Amino acid sequence: QLQLVESGGASVQAGGSLRLSCAASRATDSTGSGYSWAWFRQAPGKEREGVALIANSGWISYADSAKGRFTVSQDAAKNTLYLQMNSLKVEDTAMYYCAARVGYWLRLRADDFHTWGQGTQVTVSS
């Protein structure tokens, strides 16, 4: 069973940078199928929203709020997903989650992902 563990969250000032990591316990499921990976975030009182996605083909997409500031990447050898966040804004404050689903997937919607990490808190102050 796939397990995901996020790290790297912290409190930073606006304009700063953070790199989040998500360590996965495996790269494929029991049938050998790869995963598509994503980052989501949820601020208090708000719905969980997608931030970035890497499909198992390597195709990448970003939410509009992340374009130009955030970069998603993965290190296949380490089974680790990253989210580099630059030019952070107060409105980026949220709990950040990584998520996975088996197979090729292009839609950044929380309901489509079946495995989640416990989250890592990012707080951006002015």
Side-chain angles (χ1 to χ4, degrees), residues 41-86:
R41 68 185 183 184
Q42 188 167 21
K46 295 187 177 182
E47 292 187 355
R48 193 168 295 189
E49 63 173 353
V51 176
L53 176 149
I54 295 183
N56 67 350
S57 64
W59 186 85
I60 291 175
S61 69
Y62 296 97
D64 287 344
S65 60
K67 289 178 181 177
R69 300 188 301 127
F70 294 2
T71 302
V72 63
S73 62
Q74 61 184 152
D75 184 332
K78 296 181 179 180
N79 286 347
T80 300
L81 182 73
Y82 300 101
L83 184 68
Q84 177 68 42
M85 304 188 295
N86 299 326

Side-chain angles (χ1 to χ4, degrees), residues 107-122:
R107 189 166 59 185
L108 193 56
R109 193 179 76 166
D111 288 348
D112 294 339
F113 287 79
H114 53 66
T115 301
W116 293 82
Q118 83 289 349
T120 187
Q121 178 68 39
V122 171

Side-chain angles (χ1 to χ4, degrees), residues 6-30:
E6 302 96 333
S7 61
S11 295
V12 297
Q13 289 193 324
S17 298
L18 281 175
R19 189 177 79 157
L20 306 184
S21 300
C22 173
S25 60
R26 58 193 300 168
T28 62
D29 72 354
S30 58

